[in-house]
PDB file of all heavy atoms in Angstrom:
ATOM      1  N   ALA A   1       9.164  -8.666  -4.602  1.00  0.00           N
ATOM      2  CA  ALA A   1       8.713  -9.346  -5.820  1.00  0.00           C
ATOM      3  C   ALA A   1       7.960  -8.387  -6.732  1.00  0.00           C
ATOM      4  O   ALA A   1       8.102  -8.432  -7.958  1.00  0.00           O
ATOM      5  CB  ALA A   1       7.830 -10.539  -5.452  1.00  0.00           C
ATOM      6  N   ALA A   2       7.184  -7.502  -6.131  1.00  0.00           N
ATOM      7  CA  ALA A   2       6.405  -6.540  -6.911  1.00  0.00           C
ATOM      8  C   ALA A   2       7.271  -5.486  -7.588  1.00  0.00           C
ATOM      9  O   ALA A   2       6.828  -4.813  -8.524  1.00  0.00           O
ATOM     10  CB  ALA A   2       5.386  -5.852  -6.000  1.00  0.00           C
ATOM     11  N   LYS A   3       8.497  -5.319  -7.137  1.00  0.00           N
ATOM     12  CA  LYS A   3       9.393  -4.307  -7.699  1.00  0.00           C
ATOM     13  C   LYS A   3      10.358  -4.899  -8.735  1.00  0.00           C
ATOM     14  O   LYS A   3      11.186  -4.165  -9.295  1.00  0.00           O
ATOM     15  CB  LYS A   3      10.219  -3.679  -6.574  1.00  0.00           C
ATOM     16  CG  LYS A   3       9.395  -2.997  -5.488  1.00  0.00           C
ATOM     17  CD  LYS A   3       9.164  -1.540  -5.772  1.00  0.00           C
ATOM     18  CE  LYS A   3       8.500  -0.847  -4.586  1.00  0.00           C
ATOM     19  NZ  LYS A   3       8.382   0.602  -4.766  1.00  0.00           N
ATOM     20  N   ARG A   4      10.287  -6.202  -8.980  1.00  0.00           N
ATOM     21  CA  ARG A   4      11.215  -6.794  -9.941  1.00  0.00           C
ATOM     22  C   ARG A   4      11.060  -6.147 -11.306  1.00  0.00           C
ATOM     23  O   ARG A   4       9.961  -5.923 -11.782  1.00  0.00           O
ATOM     24  CB  ARG A   4      10.965  -8.307 -10.058  1.00  0.00           C
ATOM     25  CG  ARG A   4      11.391  -9.094  -8.834  1.00  0.00           C
ATOM     26  CD  ARG A   4      11.149 -10.574  -9.017  1.00  0.00           C
ATOM     27  NE  ARG A   4      11.268 -11.278  -7.744  1.00  0.00           N
ATOM     28  CZ  ARG A   4      10.898 -12.530  -7.552  1.00  0.00           C
ATOM     29  NH1 ARG A   4      10.384 -13.230  -8.553  1.00  0.00           N
ATOM     30  NH2 ARG A   4      11.029 -13.094  -6.363  1.00  0.00           N
ATOM     31  N   GLY A   5      12.173  -5.842 -11.898  1.00  0.00           N
ATOM     32  CA  GLY A   5      12.161  -5.238 -13.221  1.00  0.00           C
ATOM     33  C   GLY A   5      11.978  -3.743 -13.226  1.00  0.00           C
ATOM     34  O   GLY A   5      12.158  -3.093 -14.264  1.00  0.00           O
ATOM     35  N   HIS A   6      11.617  -3.166 -12.066  1.00  0.00           N
ATOM     36  CA  HIS A   6      11.406  -1.714 -12.006  1.00  0.00           C
ATOM     37  C   HIS A   6      11.339  -1.295 -10.539  1.00  0.00           C
ATOM     38  O   HIS A   6      10.283  -1.324  -9.917  1.00  0.00           O
ATOM     39  CB  HIS A   6      10.119  -1.344 -12.735  1.00  0.00           C
ATOM     40  CG  HIS A   6       9.840   0.125 -12.812  1.00  0.00           C
ATOM     41  ND1 HIS A   6      10.826   1.089 -12.696  1.00  0.00           N
ATOM     42  CD2 HIS A   6       8.673   0.809 -13.002  1.00  0.00           C
ATOM     43  CE1 HIS A   6      10.273   2.279 -12.814  1.00  0.00           C
ATOM     44  NE2 HIS A   6       8.983   2.138 -12.990  1.00  0.00           N
ATOM     45  N   GLY A   7      12.488  -0.889  -9.997  1.00  0.00           N
ATOM     46  CA  GLY A   7      12.574  -0.570  -8.581  1.00  0.00           C
ATOM     47  C   GLY A   7      11.742   0.615  -8.158  1.00  0.00           C
ATOM     48  O   GLY A   7      11.412   0.756  -6.979  1.00  0.00           O
ATOM     49  N   GLN A   8      11.364   1.484  -9.115  1.00  0.00           N
ATOM     50  CA  GLN A   8      10.567   2.668  -8.797  1.00  0.00           C
ATOM     51  C   GLN A   8       9.069   2.440  -9.028  1.00  0.00           C
ATOM     52  O   GLN A   8       8.290   3.389  -9.016  1.00  0.00           O
ATOM     53  CB  GLN A   8      11.046   3.866  -9.618  1.00  0.00           C
ATOM     54  CG  GLN A   8      12.379   4.423  -9.163  1.00  0.00           C
ATOM     55  CD  GLN A   8      12.316   4.946  -7.743  1.00  0.00           C
ATOM     56  OE1 GLN A   8      11.479   5.776  -7.393  1.00  0.00           O
ATOM     57  NE2 GLN A   8      13.205   4.446  -6.889  1.00  0.00           N
ATOM     58  N   ARG A   9       8.686   1.194  -9.238  1.00  0.00           N
ATOM     59  CA  ARG A   9       7.256   0.871  -9.396  1.00  0.00           C
ATOM     60  C   ARG A   9       6.536   1.144  -8.076  1.00  0.00           C
ATOM     61  O   ARG A   9       7.028   0.808  -6.994  1.00  0.00           O
ATOM     62  CB  ARG A   9       7.106  -0.587  -9.803  1.00  0.00           C
ATOM     63  CG  ARG A   9       5.667  -1.018 -10.064  1.00  0.00           C
ATOM     64  CD  ARG A   9       5.605  -2.475 -10.480  1.00  0.00           C
ATOM     65  NE  ARG A   9       6.276  -2.674 -11.768  1.00  0.00           N
ATOM     66  CZ  ARG A   9       7.241  -3.557 -11.973  1.00  0.00           C
ATOM     67  NH1 ARG A   9       7.683  -4.324 -10.986  1.00  0.00           N
ATOM     68  NH2 ARG A   9       7.782  -3.687 -13.172  1.00  0.00           N
ATOM     69  N   LEU A  10       5.359   1.726  -8.142  1.00  0.00           N
ATOM     70  CA  LEU A  10       4.585   2.048  -6.953  1.00  0.00           C
ATOM     71  C   LEU A  10       3.791   0.826  -6.489  1.00  0.00           C
ATOM     72  O   LEU A  10       3.248   0.081  -7.305  1.00  0.00           O
ATOM     73  CB  LEU A  10       3.621   3.206  -7.234  1.00  0.00           C
ATOM     74  CG  LEU A  10       4.246   4.508  -7.736  1.00  0.00           C
ATOM     75  CD1 LEU A  10       3.162   5.559  -7.942  1.00  0.00           C
ATOM     76  CD2 LEU A  10       5.296   5.014  -6.753  1.00  0.00           C
ATOM     77  N   VAL A  11       3.703   0.653  -5.177  1.00  0.00           N
ATOM     78  CA  VAL A  11       3.005  -0.483  -4.582  1.00  0.00           C
ATOM     79  C   VAL A  11       2.093   0.022  -3.468  1.00  0.00           C
ATOM     80  O   VAL A  11       2.483   0.904  -2.690  1.00  0.00           O
ATOM     81  CB  VAL A  11       4.005  -1.507  -4.009  1.00  0.00           C
ATOM     82  CG1 VAL A  11       3.281  -2.593  -3.211  1.00  0.00           C
ATOM     83  CG2 VAL A  11       4.829  -2.140  -5.128  1.00  0.00           C
ATOM     84  N   SER A  12       0.877  -0.541  -3.414  1.00  0.00           N
ATOM     85  CA  SER A  12      -0.064  -0.186  -2.355  1.00  0.00           C
ATOM     86  C   SER A  12      -0.795  -1.437  -1.880  1.00  0.00           C
ATOM     87  O   SER A  12      -1.108  -2.327  -2.674  1.00  0.00           O
ATOM     88  CB  SER A  12      -1.092   0.831  -2.869  1.00  0.00           C
ATOM     89  OG  SER A  12      -2.006   1.177  -1.847  1.00  0.00           O
ATOM     90  N   TYR A  13      -1.072  -1.497  -0.564  1.00  0.00           N
ATOM     91  CA  TYR A  13      -1.868  -2.576   0.022  1.00  0.00           C
ATOM     92  C   TYR A  13      -3.149  -1.983   0.599  1.00  0.00           C
ATOM     93  O   TYR A  13      -3.099  -1.016   1.365  1.00  0.00           O
ATOM     94  CB  TYR A  13      -1.086  -3.287   1.131  1.00  0.00           C
ATOM     95  CG  TYR A  13       0.153  -4.000   0.648  1.00  0.00           C
ATOM     96  CD1 TYR A  13       1.426  -3.469   0.882  1.00  0.00           C
ATOM     97  CD2 TYR A  13       0.057  -5.207  -0.047  1.00  0.00           C
ATOM     98  CE1 TYR A  13       2.567  -4.130   0.433  1.00  0.00           C
ATOM     99  CE2 TYR A  13       1.196  -5.865  -0.499  1.00  0.00           C
ATOM    100  CZ  TYR A  13       2.443  -5.327  -0.249  1.00  0.00           C
ATOM    101  OH  TYR A  13       3.569  -5.978  -0.707  1.00  0.00           O
ATOM    102  N   ASN A  14      -4.263  -2.571   0.247  1.00  0.00           N
ATOM    103  CA  ASN A  14      -5.562  -2.034   0.642  1.00  0.00           C
ATOM    104  C   ASN A  14      -6.042  -2.637   1.961  1.00  0.00           C
ATOM    105  O   ASN A  14      -6.412  -3.812   2.007  1.00  0.00           O
ATOM    106  CB  ASN A  14      -6.589  -2.347  -0.460  1.00  0.00           C
ATOM    107  CG  ASN A  14      -7.976  -1.847  -0.108  1.00  0.00           C
ATOM    108  OD1 ASN A  14      -8.118  -0.829   0.554  1.00  0.00           O
ATOM    109  ND2 ASN A  14      -8.999  -2.584  -0.541  1.00  0.00           N
ATOM    110  N   PRO A  15      -6.095  -1.852   3.041  1.00  0.00           N
ATOM    111  CA  PRO A  15      -6.567  -2.393   4.322  1.00  0.00           C
ATOM    112  C   PRO A  15      -8.086  -2.390   4.454  1.00  0.00           C
ATOM    113  O   PRO A  15      -8.616  -2.898   5.436  1.00  0.00           O
ATOM    114  CB  PRO A  15      -5.917  -1.457   5.352  1.00  0.00           C
ATOM    115  CG  PRO A  15      -5.734  -0.185   4.634  1.00  0.00           C
ATOM    116  CD  PRO A  15      -5.564  -0.494   3.175  1.00  0.00           C
ATOM    117  N   GLY A  16      -8.804  -1.802   3.484  1.00  0.00           N
ATOM    118  CA  GLY A  16     -10.260  -1.796   3.546  1.00  0.00           C
ATOM    119  C   GLY A  16     -10.844  -0.602   2.831  1.00  0.00           C
ATOM    120  O   GLY A  16     -10.137   0.335   2.454  1.00  0.00           O
ATOM    121  N   MET A  17     -12.180  -0.637   2.640  1.00  0.00           N
ATOM    122  CA  MET A  17     -12.822   0.347   1.782  1.00  0.00           C
ATOM    123  C   MET A  17     -13.106   1.687   2.454  1.00  0.00           C
ATOM    124  O   MET A  17     -13.136   2.718   1.792  1.00  0.00           O
ATOM    125  CB  MET A  17     -14.128  -0.232   1.220  1.00  0.00           C
ATOM    126  CG  MET A  17     -14.818   0.676   0.214  1.00  0.00           C
ATOM    127  SD  MET A  17     -16.325  -0.020  -0.487  1.00  0.00           S
ATOM    128  CE  MET A  17     -15.638  -1.250  -1.586  1.00  0.00           C
ATOM    129  N   GLN A  18     -13.320   1.713   3.755  1.00  0.00           N
ATOM    130  CA  GLN A  18     -13.749   2.942   4.411  1.00  0.00           C
ATOM    131  C   GLN A  18     -12.578   3.731   4.998  1.00  0.00           C
ATOM    132  O   GLN A  18     -11.546   3.159   5.364  1.00  0.00           O
ATOM    133  CB  GLN A  18     -14.755   2.605   5.510  1.00  0.00           C
ATOM    134  CG  GLN A  18     -16.016   1.938   4.985  1.00  0.00           C
ATOM    135  CD  GLN A  18     -16.742   2.771   3.947  1.00  0.00           C
ATOM    136  OE1 GLN A  18     -16.767   3.997   4.044  1.00  0.00           O
ATOM    137  NE2 GLN A  18     -17.330   2.123   2.948  1.00  0.00           N
ATOM    138  N   PRO A  19     -12.736   5.064   5.122  1.00  0.00           N
ATOM    139  CA  PRO A  19     -11.637   5.902   5.621  1.00  0.00           C
ATOM    140  C   PRO A  19     -11.075   5.485   6.973  1.00  0.00           C
ATOM    141  O   PRO A  19      -9.879   5.650   7.215  1.00  0.00           O
ATOM    142  CB  PRO A  19     -12.278   7.297   5.694  1.00  0.00           C
ATOM    143  CG  PRO A  19     -13.325   7.280   4.624  1.00  0.00           C
ATOM    144  CD  PRO A  19     -13.877   5.887   4.643  1.00  0.00           C
ATOM    145  N   HIS A  20     -11.894   4.927   7.861  1.00  0.00           N
ATOM    146  CA  HIS A  20     -11.370   4.548   9.176  1.00  0.00           C
ATOM    147  C   HIS A  20     -10.431   3.351   9.085  1.00  0.00           C
ATOM    148  O   HIS A  20      -9.748   3.026  10.057  1.00  0.00           O
ATOM    149  CB  HIS A  20     -12.512   4.255  10.153  1.00  0.00           C
ATOM    150  CG  HIS A  20     -13.279   2.998   9.867  1.00  0.00           C
ATOM    151  ND1 HIS A  20     -14.277   2.935   8.925  1.00  0.00           N
ATOM    152  CD2 HIS A  20     -13.181   1.755  10.397  1.00  0.00           C
ATOM    153  CE1 HIS A  20     -14.771   1.708   8.889  1.00  0.00           C
ATOM    154  NE2 HIS A  20     -14.125   0.968   9.761  1.00  0.00           N
ATOM    155  N   LEU A  21     -10.375   2.691   7.914  1.00  0.00           N
ATOM    156  CA  LEU A  21      -9.466   1.573   7.705  1.00  0.00           C
ATOM    157  C   LEU A  21      -8.235   1.963   6.902  1.00  0.00           C
ATOM    158  O   LEU A  21      -7.217   1.257   6.947  1.00  0.00           O
ATOM    159  CB  LEU A  21     -10.191   0.435   6.967  1.00  0.00           C
ATOM    160  CG  LEU A  21     -11.458  -0.118   7.600  1.00  0.00           C
ATOM    161  CD1 LEU A  21     -12.136  -1.089   6.636  1.00  0.00           C
ATOM    162  CD2 LEU A  21     -11.155  -0.818   8.910  1.00  0.00           C
ATOM    163  N   TRP A  22      -8.307   3.045   6.158  1.00  0.00           N
ATOM    164  CA  TRP A  22      -7.312   3.383   5.144  1.00  0.00           C
ATOM    165  C   TRP A  22      -5.881   3.434   5.674  1.00  0.00           C
ATOM    166  O   TRP A  22      -4.950   3.066   4.963  1.00  0.00           O
ATOM    167  CB  TRP A  22      -7.615   4.742   4.545  1.00  0.00           C
ATOM    168  CG  TRP A  22      -8.726   4.754   3.549  1.00  0.00           C
ATOM    169  CD1 TRP A  22      -9.363   3.691   2.986  1.00  0.00           C
ATOM    170  CD2 TRP A  22      -9.335   5.928   3.002  1.00  0.00           C
ATOM    171  NE1 TRP A  22     -10.331   4.117   2.117  1.00  0.00           N
ATOM    172  CE2 TRP A  22     -10.335   5.482   2.112  1.00  0.00           C
ATOM    173  CE3 TRP A  22      -9.141   7.292   3.177  1.00  0.00           C
ATOM    174  CZ2 TRP A  22     -11.130   6.375   1.393  1.00  0.00           C
ATOM    175  CZ3 TRP A  22      -9.931   8.174   2.464  1.00  0.00           C
ATOM    176  CH2 TRP A  22     -10.914   7.724   1.577  1.00  0.00           C
ATOM    177  N   TYR A  23      -5.689   3.934   6.861  1.00  0.00           N
ATOM    178  CA  TYR A  23      -4.352   4.339   7.284  1.00  0.00           C
ATOM    179  C   TYR A  23      -3.584   3.250   8.041  1.00  0.00           C
ATOM    180  O   TYR A  23      -2.453   3.478   8.454  1.00  0.00           O
ATOM    181  CB  TYR A  23      -4.444   5.627   8.106  1.00  0.00           C
ATOM    182  CG  TYR A  23      -5.168   6.714   7.334  1.00  0.00           C
ATOM    183  CD1 TYR A  23      -6.412   7.187   7.752  1.00  0.00           C
ATOM    184  CD2 TYR A  23      -4.647   7.216   6.151  1.00  0.00           C
ATOM    185  CE1 TYR A  23      -7.093   8.148   7.019  1.00  0.00           C
ATOM    186  CE2 TYR A  23      -5.316   8.173   5.407  1.00  0.00           C
ATOM    187  CZ  TYR A  23      -6.544   8.635   5.845  1.00  0.00           C
ATOM    188  OH  TYR A  23      -7.217   9.576   5.110  1.00  0.00           O
ATOM    189  N   PHE A  24      -4.207   2.080   8.187  1.00  0.00           N
ATOM    190  CA  PHE A  24      -3.478   0.969   8.792  1.00  0.00           C
ATOM    191  C   PHE A  24      -2.402   0.482   7.819  1.00  0.00           C
ATOM    192  O   PHE A  24      -2.634   0.368   6.615  1.00  0.00           O
ATOM    193  CB  PHE A  24      -4.422  -0.193   9.125  1.00  0.00           C
ATOM    194  CG  PHE A  24      -3.707  -1.385   9.683  1.00  0.00           C
ATOM    195  CD1 PHE A  24      -3.341  -1.433  11.015  1.00  0.00           C
ATOM    196  CD2 PHE A  24      -3.350  -2.454   8.863  1.00  0.00           C
ATOM    197  CE1 PHE A  24      -2.668  -2.523  11.535  1.00  0.00           C
ATOM    198  CE2 PHE A  24      -2.672  -3.552   9.371  1.00  0.00           C
ATOM    199  CZ  PHE A  24      -2.330  -3.588  10.710  1.00  0.00           C
ATOM    200  N   LEU A  25      -1.233   0.166   8.348  1.00  0.00           N
ATOM    201  CA  LEU A  25      -0.121  -0.303   7.526  1.00  0.00           C
ATOM    202  C   LEU A  25       0.199  -1.761   7.856  1.00  0.00           C
ATOM    203  O   LEU A  25       0.605  -2.068   8.973  1.00  0.00           O
ATOM    204  CB  LEU A  25       1.125   0.552   7.766  1.00  0.00           C
ATOM    205  CG  LEU A  25       1.073   2.009   7.304  1.00  0.00           C
ATOM    206  CD1 LEU A  25       2.313   2.759   7.784  1.00  0.00           C
ATOM    207  CD2 LEU A  25       0.969   2.086   5.788  1.00  0.00           C
ATOM    208  N   TYR A  26      -0.006  -2.643   6.876  1.00  0.00           N
ATOM    209  CA  TYR A  26       0.490  -4.011   7.035  1.00  0.00           C
ATOM    210  C   TYR A  26       2.011  -4.030   6.985  1.00  0.00           C
ATOM    211  O   TYR A  26       2.653  -4.890   7.574  1.00  0.00           O
ATOM    212  CB  TYR A  26      -0.085  -4.912   5.945  1.00  0.00           C
ATOM    213  CG  TYR A  26      -1.541  -5.242   6.165  1.00  0.00           C
ATOM    214  CD1 TYR A  26      -2.538  -4.496   5.526  1.00  0.00           C
ATOM    215  CD2 TYR A  26      -1.923  -6.260   7.016  1.00  0.00           C
ATOM    216  CE1 TYR A  26      -3.879  -4.780   5.743  1.00  0.00           C
ATOM    217  CE2 TYR A  26      -3.252  -6.558   7.239  1.00  0.00           C
ATOM    218  CZ  TYR A  26      -4.225  -5.811   6.602  1.00  0.00           C
ATOM    219  OH  TYR A  26      -5.564  -6.080   6.819  1.00  0.00           O
ATOM    220  N   THR A  27       2.557  -3.068   6.277  1.00  0.00           N
ATOM    221  CA  THR A  27       4.004  -2.907   6.182  1.00  0.00           C
ATOM    222  C   THR A  27       4.305  -1.481   5.744  1.00  0.00           C
ATOM    223  O   THR A  27       3.501  -0.849   5.044  1.00  0.00           O
ATOM    224  CB  THR A  27       4.616  -3.901   5.171  1.00  0.00           C
ATOM    225  OG1 THR A  27       6.010  -3.619   5.010  1.00  0.00           O
ATOM    226  CG2 THR A  27       3.946  -3.796   3.804  1.00  0.00           C
ATOM    227  N   THR A  28       5.450  -0.978   6.144  1.00  0.00           N
ATOM    228  CA  THR A  28       5.895   0.322   5.645  1.00  0.00           C
ATOM    229  C   THR A  28       6.498   0.190   4.247  1.00  0.00           C
ATOM    230  O   THR A  28       6.806   1.201   3.619  1.00  0.00           O
ATOM    231  CB  THR A  28       6.948   0.924   6.587  1.00  0.00           C
ATOM    232  OG1 THR A  28       8.052   0.009   6.710  1.00  0.00           O
ATOM    233  CG2 THR A  28       6.351   1.196   7.965  1.00  0.00           C
ATOM    234  N   HIS A  29       6.638  -1.041   3.760  1.00  0.00           N
ATOM    235  CA  HIS A  29       7.234  -1.281   2.446  1.00  0.00           C
ATOM    236  C   HIS A  29       6.173  -1.145   1.350  1.00  0.00           C
ATOM    237  O   HIS A  29       5.815  -2.101   0.665  1.00  0.00           O
ATOM    238  CB  HIS A  29       7.892  -2.661   2.406  1.00  0.00           C
ATOM    239  CG  HIS A  29       9.129  -2.748   3.232  1.00  0.00           C
ATOM    240  ND1 HIS A  29      10.238  -3.477   2.865  1.00  0.00           N
ATOM    241  CD2 HIS A  29       9.460  -2.182   4.424  1.00  0.00           C
ATOM    242  CE1 HIS A  29      11.186  -3.358   3.779  1.00  0.00           C
ATOM    243  NE2 HIS A  29      10.724  -2.585   4.744  1.00  0.00           N
ATOM    244  N   GLN A  30       5.654   0.061   1.235  1.00  0.00           N
ATOM    245  CA  GLN A  30       4.703   0.412   0.192  1.00  0.00           C
ATOM    246  C   GLN A  30       4.813   1.903  -0.042  1.00  0.00           C
ATOM    247  O   GLN A  30       5.462   2.614   0.725  1.00  0.00           O
ATOM    248  CB  GLN A  30       3.286   0.004   0.565  1.00  0.00           C
ATOM    249  CG  GLN A  30       2.772   0.579   1.879  1.00  0.00           C
ATOM    250  CD  GLN A  30       1.380   0.099   2.202  1.00  0.00           C
ATOM    251  OE1 GLN A  30       0.457   0.196   1.408  1.00  0.00           O
ATOM    252  NE2 GLN A  30       1.218  -0.466   3.406  1.00  0.00           N
ATOM    253  N   ASP A  31       4.149   2.395  -1.111  1.00  0.00           N
ATOM    254  CA  ASP A  31       4.455   3.740  -1.578  1.00  0.00           C
ATOM    255  C   ASP A  31       3.287   4.711  -1.594  1.00  0.00           C
ATOM    256  O   ASP A  31       3.493   5.919  -1.486  1.00  0.00           O
ATOM    257  CB  ASP A  31       5.033   3.653  -2.995  1.00  0.00           C
ATOM    258  CG  ASP A  31       6.182   2.676  -3.079  1.00  0.00           C
ATOM    259  OD1 ASP A  31       7.205   2.930  -2.426  1.00  0.00           O
ATOM    260  OD2 ASP A  31       6.051   1.643  -3.768  1.00  0.00           O
ATOM    261  N   TYR A  32       2.063   4.222  -1.772  1.00  0.00           N
ATOM    262  CA  TYR A  32       0.931   5.143  -1.854  1.00  0.00           C
ATOM    263  C   TYR A  32      -0.290   4.538  -1.184  1.00  0.00           C
ATOM    264  O   TYR A  32      -0.384   3.327  -0.994  1.00  0.00           O
ATOM    265  CB  TYR A  32       0.633   5.538  -3.303  1.00  0.00           C
ATOM    266  CG  TYR A  32       0.049   4.448  -4.176  1.00  0.00           C
ATOM    267  CD1 TYR A  32      -1.313   4.421  -4.490  1.00  0.00           C
ATOM    268  CD2 TYR A  32       0.857   3.445  -4.724  1.00  0.00           C
ATOM    269  CE1 TYR A  32      -1.845   3.432  -5.309  1.00  0.00           C
ATOM    270  CE2 TYR A  32       0.332   2.469  -5.547  1.00  0.00           C
ATOM    271  CZ  TYR A  32      -1.012   2.459  -5.828  1.00  0.00           C
ATOM    272  OH  TYR A  32      -1.542   1.474  -6.634  1.00  0.00           O
ATOM    273  N   LEU A  33      -1.222   5.406  -0.812  1.00  0.00           N
ATOM    274  CA  LEU A  33      -2.422   5.010  -0.095  1.00  0.00           C
ATOM    275  C   LEU A  33      -3.398   4.328  -1.060  1.00  0.00           C
ATOM    276  O   LEU A  33      -3.647   4.823  -2.157  1.00  0.00           O
ATOM    277  CB  LEU A  33      -3.084   6.236   0.528  1.00  0.00           C
ATOM    278  CG  LEU A  33      -4.250   5.980   1.472  1.00  0.00           C
ATOM    279  CD1 LEU A  33      -3.732   5.496   2.823  1.00  0.00           C
ATOM    280  CD2 LEU A  33      -5.084   7.250   1.654  1.00  0.00           C
TER     281      LEU A  33
END
C-alpha cells in the first residue's frame, strides 16, 4: 500500500528509539533503517 503510485518509494518501520532496538525487522519488506 505504501508503494502505490511509486514502486521505488522508500519505506521504513521504526522498532524503537535506541540503537539496541534499531536492527529488529518486523518485515524484510522495507528499504532503509
Side-chain angles (χ1 to χ4, degrees):
K3 300 269 188 174
R4 289 181 193 168
H6 183 23
Q8 287 298 306
R9 183 179 295 126
L10 303 181
V11 172
S12 180
Y13 296 105
N14 179 33
M17 185 178 286
Q18 298 302 324
H20 70 279
L21 303 172
W22 283 350
Y23 305 113
F24 177 81
L25 293 172
Y26 286 96
T27 174
T28 58
H29 289 217
Q30 57 182 307
D31 308 296
Y32 70 103
L33 188 77

